[in-house]
Structure formats: C-alpha cells, structure tokens
Amino acid sequence: MTETVLSNAKLVLADEVVAGSVVIRDGQIAEIGTPAAAGDDMGGDYLFPGFVELHTDALEFHYKPRPRVRWSPDAAIMQHDAQVAASGITTVFDALRVGLDEEHDMRREDMLKLGTAIGEATRAGRLRADHYIHLRCEVSVPDCLEGFRMLEDHPRVKLASLMDHAPGQRQFQSLDAARAYYQGKLRMSDADFEAFQSRRNVESSTYAPGHRSAISQYCRDHGITLASHDDATLAHVDEALDEGIDVAEFPTTIEAARASHEAGLAVLMGAPNVVRGGSHSGNISARALVDAGILDILSSDYIPFSLMQAVFTLSAGDAAITLPAATRLVSKHPAEATGLNDRGQIAPGRRADLVRVQLVEGIPVVRTVWREGTRVI
C-alpha cells in the first residue's frame, strides 16, 4: 500500500471550498481531513479534482501544424497530452473527425493513424492524462459512415457526436454567417460559395438521415455516449431525444438549450465562449445559459487551458456562481455524462485525479497534477 498526504490546501469539493488535507492510498482518495501537520505542504493553494474534457480538437493541430504538413502521430499525441495535463485535464476525449469534405485537408487514413497512436500510447503507459476517443460524425458527408466503421470498434471510443455543418443548418442557420465563415476560411468567391452551399445542402438531405440513424443505433447497442451538436430548434431537440442522445453539444439558441436541459440532456458549451464573452459564430453565449441555470458542462473545444480560465471567470464578479459550481461544469458533470463515476470530485473512494492551482496576480497557474495518485506534472 502506498500513501501520500497533501496538506494545507484549499480543497474544492463538490459543494464547498474547505481548508484541509487529502490522504491518497493506492491511487484513490482515502480520506479528507483538517489541515495536517505532516505531508506535502500545498502552501494554501487550491486543490481541484482533475478536469474531464469531452470535446477537444487540439490533437489535430499537433498532427497538422501547417497546411499539407503531417507530424508523427506518436509525437503529436505526446505533445497534445502534455498540453492538456498542464491545463489541469486528467481525462480527455480526443475528437477525431469522421466524414470529411474540402474544408478539411485530412483523410480517413489520418484519423485512423491518430486513433492507433492513442491506443498504443495508452497501452504503453506513455500518457499523463487518461485518453478516450470522441468520434465527431459529420453526418451530411457521403463518407461519414465509412469513416465511422473504421474506428467504431476501437477500445478507447466512448463518445460520438452527430454533426451537420452544411451552410444554413444548425451552427450557421444564417447564410450570411456561413458565407462570412467559409469565404473567409477557404477564400471562396461568391460563385464558389453558392456552388458549395448548394452541394452541401443536397448532401445533407441525402445522407444525414441514414447516417444519423445507423450511428446512433450502433452507439446505443455498444454503450457509447451520444451527443447532438449545434441544435437550434425544438425539432432538433425532439430528433435528439428520438436518437437516444445523452449530451447536447453547443446548442445555438436558448430555446434549444432549455428544452434539452429540461428533457434531461446534459447541455455542453465551450469554455472559450465564457472567456471571450460570447460565441465566435454569433450564437447564444455560454454565460446566458449559466445565468438561466441550464448549463451542465464546459468543454475547452480548441483551447485546453480555457477550462481553467472559465472556472475562475465564472466564479468572479457580481454575477458569479460559486467556485464549486463552476468546477462541477468541468469535472463532476462531464464524468457523470460519460459514465465515468469513479472520478470528477474530491471525495473518498474516487480516483486521486487532482490539480494544484496557485493564483498569481489573479492568473491561475497549474503547479502540480496527479493522476490516480501519481504525479504527472
């Protein structure tokens, strides 16, 4: 039996912050007590539960750092792992795309390489954080189901989301917003955009219903958590409920978010939305959902450290929620939504996934990270 005592910390528990100590035995939290004279002195710093990240696109950035450049998948996962762990994330769902169009210059084979790298690195014990796979299924693209089949039986797949980014659908219900995004990103002419929009909407009506049905059925049959994506209308929410959706990712209107929450779906929004003060797509702000009491989970999306920033942003100022309430959005709630009930809070019997954070001139600094009681940062 191995034992570690972390003393003199501000413990961010599920419902309160207390001064105290944590006893770790064999990778689990054994006891929570008053400040102890013995043990590793945390110097009064915060001790958070390890964060649980459900939707990060960051791995792709390390694998494809420049257009037409592909880095070693093994090196990319190591770099990504170091970044998320240093951000306080001890469990991460790495998003891999299935269903690719000309907006993305990666192919199914790239996703398979990354999935293989995640599996091999996990098996070899090379990673600081606990990595799972989130399959981002672009259901409106012809090859979506083929891409899904390549990865569906990967042992680390635990989450899948059903997305439709065809212009005028969901995220970009406004064609003006879609035009600005795609023409700015892909440097399309007006004529090119019109052709792109027309083709993608035909593909959406042709392929999306069948792909949604097949993928949702597979996930239900195999215990894979299902997420909807960019729901905008009550009809979208009804569709999600029919498909057995568990998590509503990035709803674009407060009506869809409220209906999802009231139906028992876990509503997820981006932490960058909180930090920036609004959506980059011009949709509903995450803060509005917090104020309405209908936000359940935050995701770092494209900036891993945004989870830590968002926790302190939401717990500061006149309209603040408590620090434990903000922390539940990035730990307890995402763990519960994906069936990882062995982690997500500082409590006896839970995994000793812990993060020591010091505030330096108001900026949160991650000093130490433990995963299952082992120091990884």
Side-chain angles (χ1 to χ4, degrees), residues 95-340:
L96 301 182
R97 304 169 192 258
V98 293
L100 297 156
D101 61 17
E102 68 266 33
E103 182 190 351
H104 312 290
D105 65 351
M106 289 199 286
R107 304 271 67 84
R108 294 192 302 271
E109 292 73 22
D110 293 306
M111 299 299 105
L112 185 60
K113 287 178 182 179
L114 290 173
T116 300
I118 291 167
E120 291 180 349
T122 299
R123 176 191 53 77
R126 295 198 299 261
L127 302 177
R128 296 170 172 86
D130 196 8
H131 287 252
Y132 294 95
I133 292 174
H134 171 171
L135 296 180
R136 299 179 59 208
C137 306
E138 186 61 52
V139 295
S140 60
V141 172
D143 72 348
C144 176
L145 193 57
E146 185 176 350
F148 181 81
R149 297 299 185 209
M150 289 178 67
L151 287 161
E152 64 183 4
D153 60 353
H154 192 296
R156 305 306 289 180
V157 171
K158 199 172 177 63
L159 175 63
S161 57
L162 306 178
M163 310 184 300
D164 186 346
H165 288 107
Q169 305 289 329
R170 297 177 182 258
Q171 182 182 19
F172 295 115
Q173 291 196 89
S174 162
L175 283 180
D176 288 339
R179 183 187 302 277
Y181 175 82
Y182 285 108
Q183 289 192 266
K185 183 175 183 178
L186 302 179
R187 299 184 180 181
M188 291 179 171
S189 67
D190 288 344
D192 288 339
F193 175 77
E194 293 300 330
F196 171 76
Q197 172 209 337
S198 176
R199 177 177 57 77
R200 291 290 290 114
N201 277 288
V202 168
E203 289 176 342
S204 177
S205 60
T206 302
Y207 297 106
H211 289 167
R212 296 181 76 93
S213 176
I215 292 169
S216 61
Q217 184 65 57
Y218 180 91
C219 291
R220 290 196 301 270
D221 291 345
H222 292 82
I224 297 171
T225 300
L226 266 171
S228 61
H229 191 87
D230 293 338
D231 289 345
T233 67
L234 297 183
H236 290 158
V237 177
D238 289 340
E239 180 181 45
L241 295 174
D242 289 342
E243 292 164 342
I245 295 294
D246 306 290
V247 178
E249 285 192 335
F250 312 111
T252 61
T253 65
I254 197 162
E255 293 79 13
R258 190 183 305 281
S260 297
H261 183 81
E262 291 176 352
L265 307 186
V267 175
L268 178 153
M269 292 289 279
N273 185 314
V274 171
V275 176
R276 295 180 67 252
S279 163
H280 77 280
S281 301
N283 295 318
I284 190 71
S285 77
R287 187 61 198 239
L289 303 192
V290 172
D291 294 342
I294 55 176
L295 179 64
D296 302 294
I297 298 170
L298 282 173
S299 162
S300 70
D301 201 0
Y302 52 92
I303 301 289
F305 195 69
S306 65
L307 285 187
M308 186 66 69
Q309 291 176 284
V311 164
F312 282 95
T313 297
L314 288 174
S315 58
D318 294 337
I321 60 175
T322 67
L323 186 60
T327 302
R328 291 195 297 270
L329 301 176
V330 301
S331 55
K332 185 174 184 290
H333 291 174
E336 291 173 343
T338 49
L340 297 175

Side-chain angles (χ1 to χ4, degrees), residues 11-16 22-24 27-32 47-52 90-91 324 327-336 340-355 370:
L11 308 179
V12 184
L13 306 182
D15 297 303
E16 61 180 337
V22 173
V23 179
I24 302 170
Q28 290 190 328
I29 297 169
E31 302 173 27
I32 297 172
L47 200 62
F48 285 89
F51 293 174
V52 179
T90 53
T91 301
T327 302
R328 291 195 297 270
L329 301 176
V330 301
S331 55
K332 185 174 184 290
H333 291 174
E336 291 173 343
L340 297 175
N341 296 315
D342 60 345
R343 66 197 76 184
Q345 60 179 308
I346 299 177
R350 301 297 177 113
R351 281 176 38 146
D353 294 349
L354 301 165
V355 183
W370 296 263

